[in-house]
Amino acid sequence: MKKVFGILLGILLVTGCNDGDLVLESFNFSNAPIQKCSDKMLLFKTSGEELLLLDIPASNFPNEVTPPDEPRIVTISGTNKVLYRKYSGNVSSSTICSSIPPAAPSVASEWTASTGGTIQIVTTEKTTIDPVTNEPVLTGYNHQIKFINIQFVSTDNTFVFEEYLFGTYTTNL
């Protein structure tokens, strides 16, 4: 009986091993600030070896307040892209924004948002208080970006966010 149990346990251990493939079902960039390349309209967040990137035209961020309960809607398409990447090492803005990508870190895995998901943008005024007049002064606009029903796809698997708050991108006057 011990031999049979030992053989079954051995088979279970051999067949139950993880092959090391990365299976992604979620990510968390909640503490990472939104960054922007200085020479192109790429908004992104980094966290160690991970990148969450939004590539949409700047025209989607006009300095106009959106009416209450009427966010600006952008549909993910060939022009409006969202992608998640896992790199072989820590990633930084110089990795993402350089005109010639550095050799390291390299992209280890990539998930692209499928066509059809939406990006909601709610724009509000950004103000500061004038120290002399004690009145609010308009200094720019905050654009809150939220992903709705986005499906990320790779060659190996997919995962879906019904709702994911990307963060707030600020434009100045």
Side-chain angles (χ1 to χ4, degrees):
M1 180 70 171
K2 287 184 183 180
K3 287 182 181 181
V4 171
F5 181 70
I7 291 171
L8 288 175
L9 182 60
I11 291 171
L12 179 64
L13 289 174
V14 170
T15 61
C17 292
N18 184 346
D19 61 358
D21 288 344
L22 177 63
V23 176
L24 184 69
E25 294 178 3
S26 186
F27 47 69
N28 185 356
F29 290 89
S30 60
N31 294 326
I34 292 178
Q35 300 177 60
K36 180 189 173 297
C37 293
S38 61
D39 61 340
K40 52 190 162 191
M41 188 58 192
L42 291 178
L43 301 178
F44 60 93
K45 289 182 158 192
T46 62
S47 179
E49 300 174 344
E50 299 176 285
L51 165 76
L52 183 58
L53 184 133
L54 175 60
D55 181 6
I56 64 175
S59 60
N60 289 297
F61 299 99
N63 285 340
E64 299 171 1
V65 173
T66 53
D69 299 321
E70 293 182 31
R72 198 169 293 109
I73 302 294
V74 179
T75 303
I76 296 177
S77 64
T79 306
N80 307 309
K81 302 172 189 166
V82 180
L83 65 88
Y84 167 82
R85 284 184 177 166
K86 178 82 172 170
Y87 283 82
S88 61
N90 284 343
V91 64
S92 67
S93 61
S94 60
T95 307
I96 307 308
C97 297
S98 61
S99 57
I100 299 174
S106 61
V107 177
S109 300
E110 181 174 284
W111 286 261
T112 305
S114 298
T115 300
T118 58
I119 302 164
Q120 285 186 353
I121 303 170
V122 175
T123 303
T124 58
E125 291 182 343
K126 177 184 174 194
T127 59
T128 59
I129 301 298
D130 184 297
V132 176
T133 64
N134 209 25
E135 295 289 324
V137 176
L138 180 66
T139 58
Y141 291 86
N142 291 319
H143 308 275
Q144 184 189 57
I145 304 165
K146 188 185 294 184
F147 301 150
I148 305 293
N149 295 322
I150 291 188
Q151 179 180 19
F152 285 90
V153 178
S154 74
T155 55
D156 300 333
N157 67 344
T158 64
F159 63 99
V160 176
F161 280 107
E162 289 182 21
E163 190 171 294
Y164 184 86
L165 182 61
F166 182 68
T168 301
Y169 167 59
T170 301
T171 55
N172 297 318
L173 295 178

